[in-house]
Amino acid sequence: GAAMVARALWALLAALRAGWCLLPQSGYLHPDEFFQAPEVMAGDILNLQVYYPWEFLSSSPCRTVVFPLMTSGVTYWVIKSLQQLDICSSCINGYTLLVSPRLLFTIFSFILDYSVYQLAPFWGADPWKALILLAGSYVTLVFYTRTFTNTLEGLLFALLMVLVSSRKCSGSSAEPTSSSLIGVITTAGFFNRPTFLAFALMPLLYWAGLIVDSQKSIKTVINHILKFILCACFTASVFITADTFYFTSVSLDNLYSTNKSSLIDVIVQLHDKMVVTPFNFLSYNLNPHNLALHGTHPRVTHFTVNGVMLFGILHILAISAGFKMLKKYVHQLMLVRWCYRGPPGLLVHSEGSPTLLLFYFVPLAFLSLFSHQEPRFLIPLILPLVLFSASPNRAVKWKLLIVLFNLLGALLFGCLHQGGLIPCLFHLEQLIHSPAPSVHPRHYTLLFAHTYMPPRSLLNIKKTDVHVEVIDMAGAGEETLCHTVEQRASNFTCSHCHIFIIIPGTVRATITKCGVSFKNETLIFPHLSMEDPPQIPVLSSGNWRSHLGLYILELNRDH
C-alpha cells in the first residue's frame, strides 16, 4: 500500500512538472536562462531581433554553441519548419518561443528521475522515497525546467553517476562499456561548463578505484584508460570543430574557392582560427577583476546561504552528518595510528554512505574557491543529496518542513520573482502585432527600467523590422532615468509613435518626478523585484498590489 501511494505521489508531481512548464511558469530566475541559449538561437535560426551576450560574440567566444543548437536550436527549427509547411500558420509566437525549449528541458529532467531510480538500490537508499524528494523539490520543478547550462550540467552529472555506479551482479568489476561513455560525458560536460570537472572529480576517482580493485591485469586497466582518453579527445574535437565554424564563420567552400588551397592548407587555416571555448571561459573567470564585474561573495556563501536556499533542511542535515562522520573517521585514524592496523576505508554501504557525502561536499568545496557564487551553480548536487537523504530513518521527521519549504520556494521562484516581465512581453507582443488602424506603420519604443534584462526574442520581431526599439535601462538611477524619459518625450512628435515605460511598482513614484504624464497604465501582477523590494509596512496597506506588480506606462503625447 505504501509503495502504491509513493508511486501515485511521484506521478502527480511529475504531471505538475510538465503541466507547470506548459502553463507557463512566469517567474524569471536569471538572465542566463534566456541569454545562454534561446535568445541566441532565436536570432540565428528564426532571424528575430535579439540581444547577443558577449560570450557568443566572435571577439570573445566563451560558450560552446553545440548544446544551444541541440536544445533551443532544435525546438526553434521544428516550429519554423511547421510554419513553413503550413501545418501551423502561427507557430512562431511569444508563447512557443518561451515554452518549446523549456518543454525539451522538462523532458530531459526525467533523466534525473531515471538516475535516482537506478542509483538508489546501489547506494542503500529507498528508491521511491528518493524519487519523491527529487520530484517534490522546487529545484526540480523550477530550475530543471529552465534553459540553464547548469541544468545540463546536472543531467550530465546524473548520467556520470549512473555509469560509475554500474557494476556486474557479482559486484566484482566495473561495466567494460562504461569507459567510452564516461569519456564522452566528461568532455561534453567540460565544454558545457568547465566547472563540470568539480562535479566529475569524485565519480571519476570512484570509477578508477573500482577498475583498479576489480581488474587483476594491468593491461585491462590501461585499456579502460585508453578508451576514456580516446573518446574524450574525439568528443573534444567535435566541439572544437563546431565552435570554430560557428564563431569564425569559416566555410570550406570559401576556403577552397578563394585560396585554391589544398586540403592540408585548409586544415592549417582551420587550426589557426581554432576556438576552444572552455579555455576562454577559464581565462576570463580566473581573473578576479572579471569576476568582480558579476558580483563577489564571501567564500562560505555556498555552504551557509545557497545550499540552504536550494535544499533547506536536507543541506543542514548533510552538513551535520558530514561533521559526525569526519569526527568518527578522525577517531578511526587515531586508533589505526596506535594499533598499526592499516588505514580505515570509506565503505560504500557503511552507515550514512560517506562516499555520497563526498560526492556532495567535494564539488561544493571546489565551487567555493571562486568569489562569484550563485545558488544555481549548486543545482547538480540535488542527486547525491536526495540519495543520501533517502537512506533508512533519515529526514522522515522533517516531512512537514520539507513540504512547506518547497511550496514556498516554488511560489517565490516559479511565480513571484521578476514574475511580471514575461507576461509583460507577451502583452507587448500582442500590441505590436495587432492590426494597424492606418496605413502608416507604427513605431514603438519600449523602455525597461529596474527589471531583469528583457529577452527581445519573446517580442517576435524580425531583424528587418526597424519600427520597434528596445532600451534596457537596467538599474539606472533617478537622474539618468528621468533624463532618458524626458529626451524621448521631447522627440515625441509623430502621431503613430508609442513610447512605453516598463517599471516595477516599487519604483513607480520615480517616474512621477520626471515631468511627464501617461495616458495608459497596465499593471501586471505579481512581480517581485529583490533589487527593489517592497517595504513590509506597504504590503500590509491597501496599496500592496501595486508594489507587487509591474507597470506598463504609455507616455502621453499631448502632454
Side-chain angles (χ1 to χ4, degrees):
M4 286 297 293
V5 170
R7 286 182 175 90
L9 183 55
W10 175 83
L12 187 66
L13 290 168
L16 173 64
R17 194 188 315 174
W20 201 11
C21 167
L22 295 169
L23 196 56
Q25 288 184 27
S26 59
Y28 183 171
L29 299 175
H30 190 279
D32 282 357
E33 69 175 285
F34 292 103
F35 293 93
Q36 286 184 357
E39 185 85 350
V40 176
M41 291 298 106
D44 290 348
I45 293 172
L46 302 177
N47 201 35
L48 297 180
Q49 281 188 31
V50 298
Y51 175 81
Y52 283 95
W54 65 270
E55 299 104 316
F56 283 93
L57 299 178
S58 57
S59 57
S60 55
C62 288
R63 299 278 181 191
T64 181
V65 76
V66 174
F67 282 111
L69 280 170
M70 290 170 62
T71 53
S72 300
V74 168
T75 59
Y76 288 163
W77 178 81
V78 168
I79 60 174
K80 180 182 179 181
S81 301
L82 289 173
Q83 185 156 306
Q84 287 176 338
L85 294 169
D86 287 331
I87 297 173
C88 170
S89 59
S90 58
C91 277
I92 302 173
N93 55 62
Y95 174 81
T96 56
L97 289 168
L98 174 74
V99 170
S100 57
R102 282 189 180 181
L103 183 60
L104 184 64
F105 271 69
T106 302
I107 294 167
F108 285 163
S109 73
F110 287 95
I111 292 171
L112 276 182
D113 302 72
Y114 166 80
S115 302
V116 163
Y117 190 76
Q118 292 293 318
L119 290 167
F122 181 84
W123 293 101
D126 182 300
W128 288 104
K129 183 180 173 183
L131 277 170
I132 290 168
L133 281 174
L134 175 76
S137 170
Y138 87 87
V139 172
T140 306
L141 288 168
V142 178
F143 283 86
Y144 273 94
T145 58
R146 304 298 181 91
T147 48
F148 284 117
T149 54
N150 309 91
T151 305
L152 292 172
E153 188 173 43
L155 299 177
L156 292 170
F157 179 51
L159 291 174
L160 189 60
M161 279 196 66
V162 169
L163 289 174
V164 303
S165 302
S166 61
R167 293 191 294 181
K168 290 181 179 178
C169 296
S170 62
S172 59
S173 63
E175 290 281 356
T177 54
S178 295
S179 306
S180 304
L181 289 173
I182 288 170
V184 170
I185 288 172
T186 303
T187 309
F190 176 66
F191 272 82
N192 175 56
R193 285 185 69 85
T195 53
F196 184 73
L197 294 183
F199 296 98
L201 178 62
M202 279 308 300
L204 290 178
L205 289 176
Y206 181 80
W207 169 72
L210 279 179
I211 290 176
V212 172
D213 288 344
S214 60
Q215 303 295 340
K216 306 299 180 185
S217 166
I218 188 69
K219 183 180 177 181
T220 312
V221 174
I222 293 171
N223 185 41
H224 276 290
I225 294 170
L226 283 176
K227 279 184 183 177
F228 173 88
I229 293 171
L230 286 172
C231 287
C233 289
F234 174 76
T235 307
S237 67
V238 170
F239 277 85
I240 291 169
T241 303
D243 290 337
T244 300
F245 273 86
Y246 179 81
F247 286 109
T248 62
S249 301
V250 173
S251 166
L252 285 175
D253 291 337
N254 289 343
L255 288 172
Y256 274 121
S257 60
T258 56
N259 300 312
K260 306 296 183 185
S261 50
S262 66
L263 181 60
I264 294 174
D265 293 329
V266 170
I267 293 170
V268 169
Q269 290 178 60
L270 284 173
H271 180 268
D272 292 339
K273 295 174 179 286
M274 189 167 61
V275 174
V276 187
T277 53
F279 292 161
N280 296 338
F281 178 95
L282 288 170
S283 175
Y284 179 87
N285 284 282
L286 289 175
N287 185 331
H289 174 71
N290 291 336
L291 282 183
L293 297 175
H294 301 273
T296 55
H297 309 91
R299 294 294 198 276
V300 294
T301 302
H302 279 326
F303 275 99
T304 57
V305 179
N306 295 341
V308 177
M309 189 187 298
L310 290 175
F311 309 122
I313 191 67
L314 298 185
H315 176 73
I316 295 168
L317 292 174
I319 290 176
S320 174
F323 276 118
K324 287 177 184 176
M325 289 182 191
L326 189 61
K327 182 180 176 182
K328 183 178 178 181
Y329 190 62
V330 169
H331 181 65
Q332 286 180 340
L333 278 174
M334 292 175 68
L335 285 176
V336 167
R337 183 178 176 184
W338 290 105
C339 301
Y340 300 98
R341 292 180 181 173
L346 284 177
L347 301 177
V348 173
H349 294 291
S350 65
E351 184 185 353
S353 299
T355 309
L356 271 179
L357 281 180
L358 288 175
F359 279 32
Y360 183 74
F361 283 115
V362 168
L364 195 59
F366 272 104
L367 293 174
S368 297
L369 296 175
F370 297 93
S371 59
H372 182 58
Q373 301 186 13
E374 295 181 32
R376 63 193 171 93
F377 296 168
L378 302 184
I379 65 171
L381 295 178
I382 192 171
L383 182 63
L385 185 61
V386 297
L387 290 172
F388 177 78
S389 303
S391 57
N393 302 320
R394 192 177 295 279
V396 173
K397 59 183 177 181
W398 301 102
K399 278 182 183 177
L400 182 61
L401 183 60
I402 291 169
V403 170
L404 291 175
F405 171 79
N406 285 301
L407 281 173
L408 182 63
L411 175 66
L412 176 61
F413 292 105
C415 297
L416 296 177
H417 189 257
Q418 294 284 327
L421 192 55
I422 289 170
C424 162
L425 291 167
F426 286 170
H427 175 81
L428 292 171
E429 181 211 9
Q430 289 183 348
L431 196 68
I432 291 166
H433 293 285
S434 60
S438 65
V439 293
H440 298 288
R442 293 170 296 184
H443 186 277
Y444 292 92
T445 300
L446 311 177
L447 193 151
F448 292 82
H450 292 262
T451 68
Y452 275 5
M453 237 163 58
R456 291 151 174 79
S457 58
L458 297 187
L459 293 169
N460 190 23
I461 307 160
K462 291 292 182 184
K463 287 180 180 177
T464 52
D465 189 345
V466 295
H467 302 297
V468 180
E469 181 186 13
V470 178
I471 303 169
D472 182 14
M473 297 290 293
E478 182 181 322
E479 186 179 342
T480 306
L481 182 59
C482 282
H483 175 72
T484 305
V485 171
E486 289 164 4
Q487 188 180 43
R488 293 284 163 176
S490 63
N491 297 328
F492 197 9
T493 53
C494 67
S495 59
H496 50 273
C497 293
H498 303 269
I499 298 176
F500 291 92
I501 298 167
I502 297 92
I503 194 164
T506 49
V507 287
R508 166 74 174 81
T510 304
I511 291 293
T512 60
K513 302 174 186 177
C514 296
V516 293
S517 65
F518 304 98
K519 64 177 181 180
N520 287 317
E521 290 190 9
T522 304
L523 177 65
I524 295 178
F525 176 88
H527 179 91
L528 175 62
S529 172
M530 299 305 291
E531 288 72 26
D532 300 286
Q535 300 297 316
I536 299 298
V538 174
L539 292 179
S540 59
S541 69
N543 201 30
W544 65 273
R545 188 178 173 88
S546 67
H547 282 259
L548 278 177
L550 183 70
Y551 279 94
I552 305 174
L553 308 171
E554 184 175 4
L555 206 63
N556 189 354
R557 178 175 165 271
D558 299 325
H559 179 70

